[in-house]
Amino acid sequence: MKPMTSVKFLAAIALWIFATLPAQAGFRSPESLVRNVYAYYGKGSADLSKGLPRSAEIAEQFFDRNLRSAWIAPRDAPYDFLVQSEKWKLGPVSIAILRKQFDKTYVAASFDNNGHAITLNFVVVNGPDGWVISDVESPHDSLRMFLTQFRR
């Protein structure tokens, strides 16, 4: 049996360190962030059909620091804000950047949910680890206000 060369040993250590790092927050682009939100509202595996999970891991990946705790807090919400309904059967999701303003980018997500046209504006920021959601605006409310209103 040959002893491990120093290059192989260093590569093995680097791979181990990389594998033990916690999941990074954020996404590479505003569009990929919004696309990944709606991946949880499909008709596929059970994990990807229940809506965006309320776990700390998901909150860290998708939301800025100010919105994370509100996302995972217990609540009695009458519907899922991200699809504007209790139930969903989404049509194709159209994603477009509306504007960039200072440190924020506004991204429109439009889709059909059970015959109702829905448009939400995601307010996203590019943090040190990538793009995360700062807020989501509907014509009548915002995600931040919604989560506060229905908190237990």
Side-chain angles (χ1 to χ4, degrees):
M1 187 170 178
K2 286 185 174 180
M4 189 180 285
T5 65
S6 61
V7 172
K8 287 182 182 178
F9 179 72
L10 291 174
I13 288 177
L15 183 61
W16 177 79
I17 290 171
F18 181 74
T20 59
L21 290 174
Q24 294 289 321
F27 291 86
R28 290 182 180 226
S29 72
E31 297 91 344
S32 69
L33 169 59
V34 176
R35 194 174 311 112
N36 277 281
V37 165
Y38 288 106
Y40 285 93
Y41 293 89
K43 291 187 319 186
S45 70
D47 291 343
L48 296 177
S49 299
K50 296 178 182 175
L52 192 63
R54 303 284 182 174
S55 69
E57 180 182 12
I58 291 292
E60 184 173 335
Q61 185 179 10
F62 282 88
F63 299 103
D64 71 4
R65 291 180 193 259
N66 298 326
L67 198 52
R68 288 176 191 160
S69 60
W71 181 255
I72 60 176
R75 72 187 39 78
D76 294 318
Y79 59 93
D80 187 321
F81 187 87
L82 298 174
V83 292
Q84 299 286 294
S85 179
E86 293 177 33
K87 300 176 186 171
W88 54 85
K89 183 176 182 185
L90 303 185
V93 178
S94 172
I95 300 167
I97 292 181
L98 296 176
R99 69 181 179 278
K100 295 179 181 184
Q101 189 173 29
F102 304 108
D103 63 334
K104 296 177 181 173
T105 298
Y106 293 79
V107 182
S110 301
F111 52 90
D112 178 88
N113 183 10
N114 285 315
H116 299 286
I118 307 290
T119 299
L120 298 172
N121 293 327
F122 285 74
V123 182
V124 300
V125 294
N126 193 3
D129 296 326
W131 290 93
V132 290
I133 299 167
S134 175
D135 205 356
V136 182
E137 302 168 338
S138 75
H140 310 289
D141 204 356
S142 76
L143 178 61
R144 192 174 299 278
M145 290 189 299
F146 178 84
L147 295 174
T148 301
Q149 180 180 3
F150 293 105
R151 192 175 191 151
R152 280 190 220 159

